[in-house]
Amino acid sequence: MKHPVFGAASILSQTHSDPHMGVNPSISDSSTFYFDRAKDMSDTFIGETEGMYLYSRHSSPTNNALASSLAAMEGTQDACVFGSGMGAISAVLFQLCAAGDHIVSSQTIYGGSYALLKNFMPKFGINSSFVDPTNLDSVSQAIGPKTKVLYCETMSNPLLEITQLKAMSELAEKHNLTLVVDNTFSPLMVAPAKHGAHIVIHSLTKFINGTSDAIAGAVCASKAFCESLKSVMDGAGMLFGSTLDAQRAANILKNMKTLPIRLAKHSENALHIAGGLVNAGYRVSYPGLDSHPGKKILEQQLEAGFGYGGLMTLDAQTPEKANTLMEYMQQEGLGYLAVSLGFYKTLFSASASSTSSEISADDQQAMGLSKGLIRFSIGLDHEPENSLQKILLGLKTLAV
Ligand SMILES: *Cc1c(COP(=O)(O)O)cnc(C)c1O
């Protein structure tokens, strides 16, 4: 696969043609499409006509416009969009695996992805081994004759560990596996396909949309794989039916165009706040800090201009202290005690009891997820110093 242009440049340089000369593509408002010639309909069913639409669960002009922008961003041949990030993830994994197949997955992944792999897919004879993605020996040892897929996140949730994508792709190559990378935490910052990922997944719900008003997902991959997801005969995208609504797709596409400037500001604010907390002696994890074990690895795969991302964690030691601090921060208007990420306001939640609660207490402990860990998605505040001072005051007065 070639990646001539990708990233921010390709998002903003894209233009489109519109029958009404609108600067935004027209929103397609149809679930079904008519044909002048009956033969075109039957050809479209077997996937043999370019530029013709059949039924919007399969594809629609607006969803395709969003998909094409995502493919350009990730530097992949093609992309397709879904009604949620989990819709994208489940479609991809069920498309790639059959009963008896095995997946090697990072242990520190999104709670929903973990629950899918650990609790749901085994019902269909698809089992997974969970490994520490920063320990390549353990990844390698988990690969067996039945393994089909290597699954990880560029930047893990919530521990913000950094995956060595190049090394993972070499392992995938050696064992003939498909490397699937969830890049939700680091759009534009890292282009996993450039480092050998075969399939890149996004929850568009987060940074890419950025307004916390929609749920959506995407798969960026080869044309052949995207076509296979859409197959009316055996495509998991088509048959599971987690379709994105065209109105939503249109909104997400417009929001996506400001991702480059938003992400740079999220990163700038996060670095400021994380740095200030560390200087004051608190236990903070942020990939842009020298103390972060993955900083060097991230820098090897980082695209310039977007910083180190908008996510950081603060260890408040106990769940009680974490809760007190979060309630204080919300009362002070610093942001919202809410899950999710990529919003213009800062969002914070205690991962162990929320977005990672699908992971058992024992497994959480094994992976180093402290019960008092607060995950922050730092917002777009004009003056991050004010937020920093508020957090510091809260930590001091609450003796966290
Ligand atoms: C939120 C999230 C998902 C799931 O996406 P939805 O849009 O909520 O279905 C998957 N992976 C990561 C890393 C996420 O943060």
Side-chain angles (χ1 to χ4, degrees), residues 84-86 89 110 113 153 157 182 184-185 203 205-206 215-216 341:
S84 72
M86 284 309 302
I89 293 166
Y110 178 70
S113 310
E153 296 177 1
N157 177 34
D182 180 336
T184 300
F185 278 30
S203 166
T205 314
K206 315 297 170 51
I215 301 278
L341 42 129

Side-chain angles (χ1 to χ4, degrees), residues 377-398:
S377 166
I378 300 295
L380 299 174
D381 303 10
H382 189 56
E383 288 172 329
E385 178 63 19
N386 290 346
S387 302
L388 171 63
Q389 291 307 325
K390 277 185 193 166
I391 301 173
L392 286 170
L393 191 66
L395 286 162
K396 215 181 224 162
T397 50
L398 302 169

Side-chain angles (χ1 to χ4, degrees), residues 98-251:
D101 288 345
H102 174 250
I103 297 171
V104 173
S105 168
S106 158
Q107 64 190 4
T108 48
I109 53 173
Y110 178 70
S113 310
Y114 184 80
L116 177 73
L117 289 166
K118 175 116 178 168
N119 307 331
F120 198 89
M121 296 189 75
K123 293 199 288 189
F124 302 90
I126 303 163
N127 291 298
S128 296
S129 303
F130 297 93
V131 295
D132 174 357
T134 62
N135 179 344
L136 289 167
D137 285 340
S138 81
V139 179
S140 179
Q141 278 160 22
I143 297 169
K146 298 271 172 70
T147 310
K148 286 277 156 61
V149 172
L150 209 48
Y151 186 87
C152 62
E153 296 177 1
T154 313
M155 188 184 287
S156 81
N157 177 34
L159 298 174
L160 311 180
E161 291 165 339
I162 309 300
T163 305
Q164 301 181 51
L165 296 174
K166 189 120 216 120
M168 292 293 256
S169 88
E170 281 161 15
L171 276 178
E173 221 56 52
K174 183 171 160 199
H175 298 278
N176 201 21
L177 313 177
T178 304
L179 176 59
V180 181
V181 179
D182 180 336
N183 198 32
T184 300
F185 278 30
S186 44
L188 292 177
M189 293 166 52
V190 179
K194 185 181 156 188
H195 306 285
H198 300 107
I199 298 172
V200 182
I201 293 178
H202 280 284
S203 166
L204 304 177
T205 314
K206 315 297 170 51
F207 285 105
I208 292 177
N209 185 45
T211 45
S212 289
D213 58 355
I215 301 278
V219 173
C220 303
S222 67
K223 193 160 180 54
F225 186 71
C226 291
E227 291 294 323
S228 78
L229 286 173
K230 289 180 183 171
S231 163
V232 296
M233 299 304 290
D234 60 1
M238 187 64 182
L239 301 176
F240 288 177
S242 57
T243 311
L244 179 59
D245 182 73
Q247 307 256 355
R248 282 299 189 194
N251 286 341

Side-chain angles (χ1 to χ4, degrees), residues 265-277:
K265 182 62 174 161
H266 282 295
S267 294
E268 182 192 318
N269 287 359
L271 182 63
H272 184 86
I273 293 170
L277 290 168

